[in-house]
Amino acid sequence: MTPRPAQVARFCAIGLVSFAVSTLVLATLCEVFHVYYLTAFIATFLISNLTGYLLNGRYTFAGHERFNSRTLSCYLVINAILLGINSVLLRTLVESLGVWYIAATVILAAVNVPITFAAHRLVTYRDARSDQAQGASGA
């Protein structure tokens, strides 16, 4: 089943809002409170992922507007794997290639959009699609 354009647009809009908030938090932690950028990156991960989980469950992948421990677990596991990969890539971009940490997070966020959309659509929120299909067929 291919994603509908509206679903992709909602995912991107929620991602953009989450990214803007997390970038603001990241910059504040680093520039104002002098927190090490990788530590701040991990803290912003937690904030943006909880927000993303709740908003995507309600608006992007309909049917998961309530808290659900299975979907939350899947969401966090997928994003924790991406956090590990992105932390290594962030450190490489910043410390080996000299990219400013904010620019590096923008690059990584852009690369992650299609990956996270596909992973969450196929794994995290897959029950919503099957529930909708059953409802539409009258089962």
Side-chain angles (χ1 to χ4, degrees):
M1 173 184 258
T2 57
R4 296 173 306 216
Q7 187 180 47
V8 174
R10 285 190 301 269
F11 183 83
C12 290
I14 289 167
L16 185 61
V17 169
S18 294
F19 179 72
V21 169
S22 67
T23 301
L24 179 64
V25 171
L26 176 67
T28 301
L29 288 173
C30 291
E31 302 301 324
V32 175
F33 297 104
H34 306 288
V35 175
Y36 182 58
Y37 75 94
L38 284 175
T39 304
F41 183 68
I42 292 167
T44 61
F45 164 83
L46 297 172
I47 294 166
S48 66
N49 278 280
L50 181 57
T51 303
Y53 168 75
L54 295 171
L55 292 174
N56 278 310
R58 179 160 178 86
Y59 298 108
T60 304
F61 304 103
H64 285 279
E65 61 275 348
R66 296 175 315 276
F67 176 82
N68 179 314
S69 60
R70 189 203 68 78
T71 56
L72 179 60
S73 297
C74 288
Y75 195 93
L76 292 177
V77 166
I78 288 168
N79 287 350
I81 291 167
L82 290 170
L83 173 66
I85 294 166
N86 283 307
S87 294
V88 171
L89 293 173
L90 179 63
R91 186 173 184 170
T92 302
L93 287 169
V94 171
E95 295 181 16
S96 298
L97 301 176
V99 177
W100 181 43
Y101 72 96
I102 297 290
T105 59
V106 170
I107 292 166
L108 293 173
V111 169
N112 280 303
V113 168
I115 296 166
T116 56
F117 178 81
H120 292 309
R121 187 167 192 282
L122 295 171
V123 178
T124 305
Y125 297 108
R126 74 175 184 265
D127 291 339
R129 288 193 327 275
S130 62
D131 290 347
Q132 288 173 342
Q134 287 177 356
S137 68

